[in-house]
């Protein structure tokens, strides 16, 4: 016959020993499940910022699609950047004003609401746009330029505004 007895094999699965093993396996797998579920929850909370950024980047890409073609946006930005390199102060002033308006238009298209750019900027945090503090500084330079008739725009201020907005456009995937 066979060196293996099926009845003894089946008897083991009906024995108290097997039921004890199954009981401890259930407890062990329940504990492992609780630990793994807790890990999923912890990772979900910690990656919330990551997913917010992914979501907002996706919204930015949708906004880019709404601009009449990415090429047109890039061409417009190149015109602004070229004007900012001018040694004529009025050209630099115009480039700062146009660049601020360009960024404001992007922010509106992404979906931020408000009566002016400052209201929209208040809704943005560093998880959405990493250089939001620099954007605020650039916008304040633009406001000084527009509201103070004696404001002198230096080349360094003009370069700063253009660089900040250019970095923002790169982060949003427009440039």
């Amino acid at each position: 016959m066979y060196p293996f007895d099926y009845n003894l094999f089946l008897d083991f699965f009906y024995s108290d020993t097997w039921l004890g093993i199954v009981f401890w396996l259930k407890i062990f797998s329940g504990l492992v499940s609780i630990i793994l579920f807790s890990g999923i929850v912890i990772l979900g909370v910690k990656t919330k910022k990551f997913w917010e950024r992914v979501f907002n980047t996706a919204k930015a890409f949708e906004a880019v699609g709404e601009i009449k073609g990415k090429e047109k946006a890039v061409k417009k930005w190149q015109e602004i950047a070229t004007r900012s390199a001018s040694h004529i102060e009025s050209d630099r002033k115009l480039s700062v004003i146009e660049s601020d308006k360009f960024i404001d238009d992007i922010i509106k298209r992404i979906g931020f609401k408000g009566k002016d750019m400052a209201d929209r900027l208040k809704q943005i945090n560093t998880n959405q746009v990493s250089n939001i503090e620099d954007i605020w500084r650039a916008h304040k330079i633009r406001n000084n330029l527009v509201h103070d008739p004696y404001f002198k725009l230096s080349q360094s201020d003009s370069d700063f505004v253009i660089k900040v907005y250019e970095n923002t456009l790169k982060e949003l995937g427009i440039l």
Side-chain angles (χ1 to χ4, degrees):
M1 297 271 235
Y2 298 109
F4 180 76
D5 187 4
Y6 288 113
N7 289 332
L8 285 176
F9 180 73
L10 292 175
D11 285 344
F12 172 74
F13 289 107
Y14 291 111
S15 71
D16 288 337
T17 305
W18 176 251
L19 293 177
I21 291 171
V22 168
F23 172 76
W24 288 109
L25 280 173
K26 287 180 182 178
I27 295 224
F28 176 74
S29 43
L31 288 173
V32 168
S33 296
I34 289 170
I35 290 169
L36 291 175
F37 181 74
S38 299
I40 289 170
V41 170
I42 290 168
L43 286 174
V45 168
K46 288 190 178 222
T47 59
K48 180 182 178 193
K49 290 181 181 178
F50 170 77
W51 290 112
E52 281 179 358
R53 191 169 189 132
V54 167
F55 176 73
N56 288 321
T57 302
K59 284 175 65 176
F61 281 121
E62 289 174 13
V64 170
E66 291 175 7
I67 297 174
K68 297 176 185 171
K70 186 174 179 177
E71 298 82 23
K72 188 172 183 180
V74 169
K75 183 179 178 187
K76 175 70 174 163
W77 181 255
Q78 288 172 341
E79 290 172 5
I80 293 170
T82 301
R83 188 174 296 117
S84 75
S86 173
H87 295 294
I88 302 169
E89 186 181 12
S90 61
D91 286 344
R92 291 194 317 268
K93 285 181 176 182
L94 184 58
S95 72
V96 167
I97 294 168
E98 286 181 337
S99 64
D100 193 76
K101 173 130 177 53
F102 190 81
I103 291 295
D104 188 32
D105 187 48
I106 298 293
I107 291 170
K108 282 190 242 178
R109 290 175 186 268
I110 289 172
F112 291 99
K113 305 288 184 216
K115 66 178 179 134
D116 56 21
M117 186 170 176
D119 286 344
R120 289 183 278 281
L121 289 177
K122 288 176 187 174
Q123 300 171 35
I124 301 173
N125 61 45
T126 55
N127 295 324
Q128 297 162 322
V129 178
S130 64
N131 65 342
I132 188 64
E133 296 301 322
D134 288 337
I135 294 172
W136 269 108
R137 286 180 44 212
H139 182 63
K140 287 176 184 175
I141 290 171
R142 177 260 179 208
N143 281 347
N144 287 335
L145 178 65
V146 171
H147 299 293
D148 182 0
Y150 302 107
F151 182 77
K152 296 291 182 195
L153 181 67
S154 67
Q155 183 70 46
S156 62
D157 283 344
S158 173
D159 292 343
F160 172 77
V161 171
I162 297 302
K163 188 68 175 164
V164 166
Y165 288 156
E166 186 172 306
N167 289 340
T168 303
L169 293 170
K170 286 178 182 175
E171 183 177 340
L172 295 175
I174 296 170
L175 293 181

